[in-house]
């Protein structure tokens, strides 16, 4: 991911969503959102060195999503 690609992604996401959303991102060097005027997307950067503290939350969210997805597949 490059900064230019990330900015293009944010602009496309902003056009795609029809309601305000909050996008939480880590502090990767390519995550550059400064200077973009987005109407529907608000970008919030997580503080540095928090990935290890937030990773367990990530796993729980992914597990819940997989359960929901598999349930829909069975129907």
């Amino acid at each position: 991911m490059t900064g230019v690609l990330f900015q293009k992604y944010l602009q496309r996401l902003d056009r795609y969503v029809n309601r305000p959303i909050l996008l939480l991102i880590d502090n990767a060097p390519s995550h550059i959102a400064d200077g973009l005027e987005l109407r529907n997307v608000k970008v919030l950067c997580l503080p540095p060195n928090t990935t290890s503290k937030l990773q367990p939350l990530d796993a729980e969210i992914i597990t819940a999503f997989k359960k929901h997805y598999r349930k829909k597949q069975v129907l």
Side-chain angles (χ1 to χ4, degrees), residues 5-62:
L5 284 175
F6 184 69
Q7 288 180 349
K8 286 181 182 179
Y9 168 77
L10 286 178
Q11 290 168 338
R12 288 184 71 185
L13 179 65
D14 189 56
R15 287 191 305 266
Y16 180 75
V17 296
N18 295 322
R19 60 190 165 141
I21 63 169
L22 175 63
L23 181 64
L24 297 172
I25 59 174
D26 62 2
N27 58 346
S30 61
H31 292 165
I32 302 167
D34 297 336
L36 289 178
E37 292 191 27
L38 306 170
R39 286 199 269 166
N40 296 319
V41 178
K42 178 174 170 119
V43 179
L44 181 65
C45 298
L46 295 171
N49 304 319
T50 58
T51 303
S52 61
K53 292 171 180 60
L54 298 175
Q55 196 70 29
L57 294 174
D58 216 11
E60 289 179 26
I61 292 169
I62 291 169

